[in-house]
Amino acid sequence: MKKNLRMLAILLIIALFPTAAFAQTDRVHRVAPGEALFMIAQKYGITIQELVAKNGYLRNPNAIFPRQVLIVPPASKPSVYTVQSGDSLFKISQKVNVPMATIAQLNNLSDWNQLHVGQVLSLPPSAGTSVPAAPTAPATYTVKAGDTLYKISQQLNISMTILAQENNLTDWNQLRVGQVLKLPVAQIPQPEPTFLGTVSNMSAKYPDTFYSRGPSTTNKIALTFDDGPDGLYTSQILDVLKAHKVPSTFFLIGSKVETHAREVQRIVAEGHVIANHTWSHPDLRKIDSAQLAAEFEQTEKALEKVTGLKTALMRPPYGGINDGVIENLRDLNYKVINWSADSMDWRDRNVDSILINTLPDVRNGGILLFHSGPGDSAATVAALPELIETLKMQGYEFVTVDKLLNLKPYR
């Protein structure tokens, strides 16, 4: 009997408080017919302002449409205290580290001595909080298929330099599946010096060479795809783009071009732009200028052989840049294309995560980063229709990078 009563109580709690109210991570909401922002916000226990702030892509928050995707932030836990036997306002203020006057004012207490057991008192949002200790990293990490040192550093929030030093790595590009990497304990994550302010600094320093977004005055945005071509997902992505009449830009790896020449030719034939993503995908900061030039020259020869085109746009692998890299690329007459919204689809291989990673960062003039390989890009293919439809509903126009930035795509 007691067991049945406990189960009934649990079911009542679930019925009274929607599961979404307990969510501690962002989630995806697909707008149903007849829904309005205030209804959606109320459903998840958040404010309209919180919902709008999370969905930075909203050009007109007053206009939402069925099937549109919204990213819902977690609801803030209410700050409350339930009066216990023996409590006084003084004792409570000591427990939660809030002045008695503040508690009394929040709860309209005219008599500070009149509290009853079970009474629920509202507290300021910061009540009882303290500065959390720095997280402790796990002791080791086992390299998985598709991992690079950059990907591991991003996943664990530990700089590549520290990972390399900890494991005596002389060649950062040589990792093998199953390799066990030692990780620093209680490491306070710090970005690599070359990444500190990189994008904003480079945009200001090299305004005619380095680009991470288009003008904020336009409704135009650009989809971009790295690391192709391949024999499976490139074609599937092209199918989606064709169905939705969306032109895109493909940053291609030279060593794959001749093997997948048919896919490369289809990219061009269907009105998309191809660009250079190096021959072997190295970190350009780790090679000398002669090697850097060779990476692009080899890729150009392969692309020209297959398409007859000589590209003028490139993207550095991993987004890895510094002054020397930018100046070398400028000397080679390339325009360097970064991004403003990263889908992280190489790491998060499910539809909702890709939407959560991308939509909040979309703005006028944005450049969106996706991948058409290597590995499993099925989730990218599946996420694209919803993302495209959602952004079109908000009045965005998809263009190729060259049109967004008013650049020549080819020489």
Side-chain angles (χ1 to χ4, degrees), residues 78-84 87-88 91-92 95-96 118-123:
S79 294
V80 296
Y81 179 86
T82 303
V83 178
Q84 302 166 22
D87 271 345
S88 65
K91 288 182 179 179
I92 295 169
K95 287 182 184 178
V96 299
Q119 182 176 352
V120 177
L121 300 176
S122 296
L123 301 175

Side-chain angles (χ1 to χ4, degrees), residues 22-58:
F22 294 98
Q24 293 305 303
T25 58
D26 295 339
R27 58 175 54 208
V28 168
H29 178 86
R30 294 165 173 87
V31 178
E35 280 191 318
L37 274 184
F38 81 89
M39 298 166 63
I40 297 167
Q42 189 177 51
K43 174 179 179 180
Y44 291 98
I46 60 175
T47 66
I48 294 177
Q49 291 77 11
E50 288 173 319
L51 189 58
V52 171
K54 188 65 186 178
N55 291 272
Y57 77 89
L58 291 173

Side-chain angles (χ1 to χ4, degrees), residues 51-199:
L51 189 58
V52 171
K54 188 65 186 178
N55 291 272
Y57 77 89
L58 291 173
R59 302 181 75 238
N60 183 2
N62 295 317
I64 61 171
F65 305 90
R67 302 192 319 278
Q68 181 176 337
V69 172
L70 292 172
I71 308 305
V72 180
S76 301
K77 288 185 178 179
S79 294
V80 296
Y81 179 86
T82 303
V83 178
Q84 302 166 22
S85 178
D87 271 345
S88 65
L89 198 62
F90 173 77
K91 288 182 179 179
I92 295 169
S93 75
Q94 295 295 302
K95 287 182 184 178
V96 299
N97 197 27
V98 177
M100 289 191 291
T102 302
I103 299 174
Q105 185 178 10
L106 280 173
N107 294 278
N108 298 315
L109 300 178
S110 55
D111 185 345
W112 292 16
N113 295 313
Q114 292 298 316
L115 296 176
H116 59 267
V117 175
Q119 182 176 352
V120 177
L121 300 176
S122 296
L123 301 175
S126 60
T129 60
S130 58
V131 178
T136 301
T140 61
Y141 177 87
T142 303
V143 177
K144 302 178 181 65
D147 272 346
T148 64
L149 198 65
Y150 173 79
K151 290 180 181 179
I152 296 168
S153 77
Q154 294 295 299
Q155 183 177 336
L156 300 177
N157 207 13
I158 299 172
S159 81
M160 291 194 291
T161 301
I162 291 173
L163 284 172
Q165 289 174 348
E166 193 78 18
N167 294 275
N168 298 316
L169 300 178
T170 55
D171 186 344
W172 292 17
N173 294 315
Q174 293 299 317
L175 295 178
R176 65 180 189 280
V177 174
Q179 182 176 352
V180 177
L181 300 177
K182 293 185 294 182
L183 304 179
V185 178
Q187 169 68 31
I188 299 174
Q190 294 290 339
E192 289 187 271
T194 50
F195 274 92
L196 290 173
T198 292
V199 173

